[in-house]
Amino acid sequence: CQARPDVWYLGDRQGQCICEFRCTEVVDLSARRLGVYRYGQWIVCSYSGAALSAAFDAVAPFDATVELARVRRGRRFGYLALDGKLIFTIEYDSADAVFSEGAATVSRGNRVGFINLSGEHWLEADEFGMFAGGRACFRVKGRYGYVNHFGHVVLPSVFLDVGDFRDDRAVV
């Protein structure tokens, strides 16, 4: 590998060049995927250098638990699979980059909810927390409750404050 401006290399342990990227920046997104930045946009590539995705304004590292990466175009977010296909289209106003127990919080307009590999689950809520112990808290009009991974309310929003579930219990 010979150093040159705007050229990045992927090398093996013996120092041999595997792939060359003509770009401004390269980021390891984990799961044997690279984020390659060029011409003001990011694309996702395999370690062999094959482009796997369309261009995005931002790409977060792949979450190892669900093998999805959050992507952004303009002000909207979506999620990309390892093969470069969009699993959740770029339509969310906000979206967590990190999944908690297989779920990530998202919002669209005035709706808050979460996504997991089985789809979207929406609540009429002001706020939605991360999953812990199989439950996630949500807030409606200043009161908290809990939902399960299917989006079903398991404890109604009657609590002033809540904690995470641990060993099937939570401080409320």
Side-chain angles (χ1 to χ4, degrees), residues 1-18:
C1 300
Q2 182 178 356
R4 293 181 286 173
D6 293 333
V7 177
W8 292 69
Y9 299 95
L10 179 65
D12 64 15
R13 291 181 185 185
Q14 289 77 36
Q16 299 297 312
C17 289
I18 298 170

Side-chain angles (χ1 to χ4, degrees), residues 46-74:
S46 68
Y47 274 10
S48 67
L52 300 174
S53 76
F56 301 102
D57 295 327
V59 178
F62 280 87
D63 185 292
T65 60
V66 292
E67 297 183 332
L68 296 177
R70 183 186 67 184
V71 294
R72 180 179 58 82
R73 275 198 196 123

Side-chain angles (χ1 to χ4, degrees), residues 5-171:
D6 293 333
V7 177
W8 292 69
Y9 299 95
L10 179 65
D12 64 15
R13 291 181 185 185
Q14 289 77 36
Q16 299 297 312
C17 289
I18 298 170
C19 190
E20 174 182 297
F21 298 94
R22 295 179 186 277
C23 58
T24 310
E25 186 176 356
V26 175
V27 176
D28 190 346
L29 299 175
S30 70
R32 302 184 55 83
R33 300 294 182 261
L34 300 170
V36 177
Y37 186 75
R38 91 185 209 190
Y39 308 122
Q41 301 224 307
W42 289 92
I43 60 169
V44 176
C45 294
S46 68
Y47 274 10
S48 67
L52 300 174
S53 76
F56 301 102
D57 295 327
V59 178
F62 280 87
D63 185 292
T65 60
V66 292
E67 297 183 332
L68 296 177
R70 183 186 67 184
V71 294
R72 180 179 58 82
R73 275 198 196 123
R75 295 182 176 174
R76 303 274 187 212
F77 296 89
Y79 291 91
L80 190 72
L82 288 173
D83 62 4
K85 292 185 173 85
L86 282 171
I87 298 299
F88 292 97
T89 59
I90 300 175
E91 60 184 279
Y92 301 107
D93 296 327
S94 68
D96 284 346
V98 178
F99 283 72
S100 171
E101 294 186 5
T105 303
V106 294
S107 71
R108 184 170 50 216
N110 61 356
R111 299 178 73 194
V112 177
F114 67 93
I115 60 163
N116 57 26
L117 294 179
S118 69
E120 299 176 324
H121 304 280
W122 295 101
L123 298 172
E124 297 299 324
D126 304 319
E127 182 183 344
F128 194 83
M130 296 183 77
F131 276 89
R135 306 285 186 262
C137 69
F138 67 93
R139 181 175 54 88
V140 175
K141 297 179 183 173
R143 301 287 180 150
Y144 292 89
Y146 291 94
V147 297
N148 63 17
H149 283 101
F150 300 105
H152 300 134
V153 174
V154 293
L155 288 172
S157 55
V158 296
F159 305 103
L160 292 174
D161 198 9
V162 295
D164 290 340
F165 265 83
R166 301 264 191 272
D167 298 321
D168 292 328
R169 287 168 176 70
V171 175

